[in-house]
Structure formats: C-alpha cells, structure tokens
Amino acid sequence: MLTGKHLISGDWVAGGRTFESSPVVGDPKTFSEGSPDQVDLAAQAAEAAFASYGYSSRTDRAVFLDRIADELDGLADQLTEIGSAETGLPAARLVGERGRTTSQLRMFARHIESGEHLDRRHDTALPDREPAPRSDLRLIQRPVGPVAVFGASNFPLAFSVAGGDTASALAAGCPVVVKGHPAHPGTGELAAQAIDQAREACGLHPGVFSFVQGGSHEAGAALVQHPTIRAVGFTGSLGAGRALFDLCAARAEPIPFFGELGSINPVFVLADALHLRGGAIAQGWADSLALGVGQFCTNPGVLVLLKGEAATDFAISAVQALQAVPSQAMLSQGIADAYRAGVLGVAEAAHVETLFVSNIEGRNATPALFRSSGKAFLANPLLAEEVFGPMGLIVEADDMDQTLAIANALDGQLTATLQLEPEDQAEAQRLLPVLERKAGRLLANGFPTGVEVCDAMSHGGPYPASTNFGATSVGTMAIRRFQRSVCYQDLPASLLPDDLLPF
C-alpha cells in the first residue's frame, strides 16, 4: 500500500533524493525526501484550492472531515501495524490514538456545523444617532488561507498528518500542506492516503491537501517562508521550533507560527497532601512520568515539595515505583540519544543527587530520578529545562517562600499541578496567581498526561511552552488559530458571506 512518495495536488510523486525509515520491528523502507521545489508546487496548489475551499459551506467541510475519519477507520489495522513497527508504540496505544484522531475530526465537523467558531457580531445602523450616525457593522471569522503543518514525532496520528492542526485548519476552510515526520513516514503516508481519498470522494480541489515526506531542513524552511502560506502549526523541539518561528517572523510579510516547543509541567505537592498520601502521589507521579517512555509534551518532569522526613519517604516510594518500569523503545534513535545526553547533563550538575540511574541501551530506555535542593534548582537553569523522556527531578524546598521563588523562576509551561488537601488552601492561594501566569492548564490532585479533546481544553502556554500564549492546539478553540476577523460595513446583503445571513 505504501508508495514512498509525496502527495502533491492529488498526485503521488517521487523526489530526487531518498531516505530510509528506522523501524523498531521489520526492515527499513525507502521514501522520497522532500525538496524546496516540491514544497513550492504543494504551496501553489494550496493557494489555488483556497479560491474554492475557502468559500465552501460549513456543511461541505463537515462532510469532508467526517469522511476523513471514516477513511482512517477503514485503515485501522494497517495504521496500527505500521505505526507500531515504526515507533515501538504498543498496539493498544495506537488504537487509542487513532480513536482520538477520528474523534477530533468529527468534533470539528460538529463544531463548524453549529457555527460557534464564527463569533458573529452585528451592530445595526443608527442613522439618527447624534452627534454622528453609526454604520451597519457585521463581524465574522474567516479562514486565513493555506496552512503549513509539521508532523510531530511523539504522536504519529493525533498530532501529525491527520491530527489536530490539520483538522482545525481544514475545518476553518484552510488548505493544508503537511511536512511529515521522518520517524514514522509509513504511518504518515497512510494517513495522507486517507485524506486524499476523502478529498476525492467529496469532489474537492486537489490542492486542498498535500503531503511532503522527509526531515529536510531545506524543505521545512521553504515551507514556512513560502509566500502563499499564511500560518504554521508545529509540535516539536525548542531548537527546531524556534528556528522556524524566527523564519516566519523574518518574512517580508510575517505570519503566525503556532509552535508547541517544551514544558516540564511542574507538580507542587503541598504539606498536608504530602503527609496524608505521599506514597500514593509518588506512585501516580511515577506512572505519569514513565507513561509512553516519558514522550508526552505534558510529562511532569519536576516535582516540588518541602524537605523533611515525608519528602525522604516520598523519594523512596518514587524510586520503588520507577524501578518496576521495564525498558522500552523510544520513538526514534535521535530521541533516545537526546534523552541520554539530557540525563547525563543532570547527573553531572552540581548539588544533584542521583536516586535511580537510567539504563539506556541503543533505542531502549528506562526512567531516571534525581533530587536537588530548592537552592540548587534556583541556581542552575539547566535543571528547569525539558528532558524529553522518563526523567524526573524532585526539588526539596526549604519553606513556602522558597517554593514561591521556584514557581516564579519557571519559564512558561503547558501545565502546572497542585497536590493539596483542604488544609493546604492558604498555601495554594499563594501559589495559584503565580502558576496561572506560567501555565495554560492548572490541575488539582491529578497528573497532566492525558489531554481531553473538548471545548474547554487549553493546550498551550507562555513561551517556551508555545509561541503564542493565547492559542491552544487541542479542543475546539484550536480553530481560532487559522481564522481572522473581518468586519463588513454597510455592505448590501447580496455581497455578504452566506454565514452572515440571516444573522
């Protein structure tokens, strides 16, 4: 079923250069490597498609999204088989991720059918108002134009070719050009096939969706700098994301770059919670930390508590829980190498105690656990940097004032968690205003891995968690990234968009 090619304006085409996949199971496969010339063709096709797709009805777009979900479900077994072989993720995880992917496609279909995303507003004319009359003003959200999406390494389905960025952009009325991730090129191609089959069945312009394979930096740079691209969705590393963000800002006409770049998702365990259920919190934190070999953007890498006997007991419980976690394959060799380097960097940092040493052999890894004082954490910015993988750091603060200092010193986060009991309310009230400015989602007595796809979800945060602190990449609000406000003043009804009538 795999061609190893790119999908550009409805045709599967090969490139001059090739690369090989690096599966955990099975033989490598050969895929075409995207080039700036192919990116140019895809972006031009997307611009041509916008003339029709950008003005299509919400009903037609909802039918398209539902059809994509159906096509993905039709490829269920193949997606699970090749996704598991390429990434090492267990079949059950990929089945669940496919369910999330199709559910969010259908969620956006229902969302645009309701019209809630349009945020329609109407101020009627006041011709007799003094001292000056008011015109008739109608406002609506319109699609921005072609959107570039970069597939993520850690979610081969839900944050990649047919993932949330693509779903929300298509829902808004924006054609999409996806640059696939080289860690799972076969999975990406199958998802692209599903989207193209749905596009063809719905009779849409072939430029509505294109897919370019490979990890070429040249192709990525060409995509975000192409003059027809009007916005970018990205999930990945801070270094790669920041480089693309800077290219978007340096364009003659800058465009928004919606990047999710990195987060340590701190957990603050307050005094009564630590004393009453420290062991249970340690087990829950270890489970969250090690979930999916720690390869979640919401992985809770740092935990802060007050030093003392209860903190010592907590560390013992966390070590015991993490020792039981078996070695597992990471998503790619590059991720495993970066994890190894990150663990080594923390282990060699001053005033950091190694509680449990990670065993990293080739692409496989086990958790690692370290401990530092609050003073050491505040003195060394390295300890507050994300290590992508199942590495945890326990920070023992001297008192509540130092805990607040730690919270204030944090960079932007996707999430921040409070473990608390009723007796901890006063301390929580001191922390909450600080954490609210640091994170896009605040949790109580839970753990941040697992992001519900729904209306009320916010998956974003201040930099470097994301490059646009007012945006979310999960939930129905994600569509707002790919819309812009247009106000129509005194236009006759015959010239207004259909979505403004009879509003």
Side-chain angles (χ1 to χ4, degrees), residues 221-292:
L223 183 56
V224 302
Q225 293 179 105
H226 199 282
T228 68
I229 296 298
R230 312 311 301 165
V232 179
F234 174 89
T235 299
S237 70
L238 176 59
R242 183 56 197 249
L244 293 172
F245 173 80
D246 290 343
L247 289 176
C248 288
R251 286 174 41 146
E253 183 182 356
I255 59 172
F257 178 85
F258 298 101
E260 182 189 310
L261 308 184
S263 182
I264 59 172
N265 304 292
V267 177
F268 291 83
V269 184
L270 301 185
D272 260 64
L274 179 61
H275 283 90
L276 291 176
R277 47 189 180 88
I281 295 171
Q283 181 66 60
W285 181 54
D287 291 343
S288 183
L289 190 71
L291 184 66

Side-chain angles (χ1 to χ4, degrees), residues 189-372:
E189 184 185 326
L190 282 182
Q193 289 180 14
I195 298 173
D196 192 51
Q197 288 162 4
R199 178 206 59 77
E200 189 171 7
C202 294
L204 300 176
H205 190 291
V208 163
F209 176 82
S210 291
F211 169 66
V212 178
Q213 285 275 26
S216 164
H217 296 302
E218 289 180 338
L223 183 56
V224 302
Q225 293 179 105
H226 199 282
T228 68
I229 296 298
R230 312 311 301 165
V232 179
F234 174 89
T235 299
S237 70
L238 176 59
R242 183 56 197 249
L244 293 172
F245 173 80
D246 290 343
L247 289 176
C248 288
R251 286 174 41 146
E253 183 182 356
I255 59 172
F257 178 85
F258 298 101
E260 182 189 310
L261 308 184
S263 182
I264 59 172
N265 304 292
V267 177
F268 291 83
V269 184
L270 301 185
D272 260 64
L274 179 61
H275 283 90
L276 291 176
R277 47 189 180 88
I281 295 171
Q283 181 66 60
W285 181 54
D287 291 343
S288 183
L289 190 71
L291 184 66
V293 206
Q295 298 166 116
F296 286 89
C297 47
T298 52
N299 186 43
V302 171
L303 183 139
V304 183
L305 40 62
L306 295 179
K307 69 179 182 181
E309 184 177 345
T312 301
D313 292 341
F314 180 95
I316 293 171
S317 297
V319 168
Q320 291 173 344
L322 292 173
Q323 284 176 332
V325 177
S327 176
Q328 300 175 70
M330 301 195 81
L331 291 161
S332 71
Q333 186 61 54
I335 290 174
D337 291 342
Y339 175 59
R340 181 183 294 106
V343 168
L344 182 62
V346 174
E348 293 179 344
H351 309 296
V352 171
E353 178 187 1
T354 300
L355 298 179
F356 178 59
V357 179
S358 177
N359 178 27
I360 308 171
E361 296 180 353
R363 192 163 159 177
N364 287 358
T366 55
L369 185 62
F370 301 94
R371 177 166 56 191
S372 80

Side-chain angles (χ1 to χ4, degrees), residues 26 61 99 110 187 206 211 218 291 303 417 420 447:
R61 295 201 300 275
R110 305 291 80 75
T187 311
F211 169 66
E218 289 180 338
L291 184 66
L303 183 139
T417 300
L420 74 163
F447 295 97

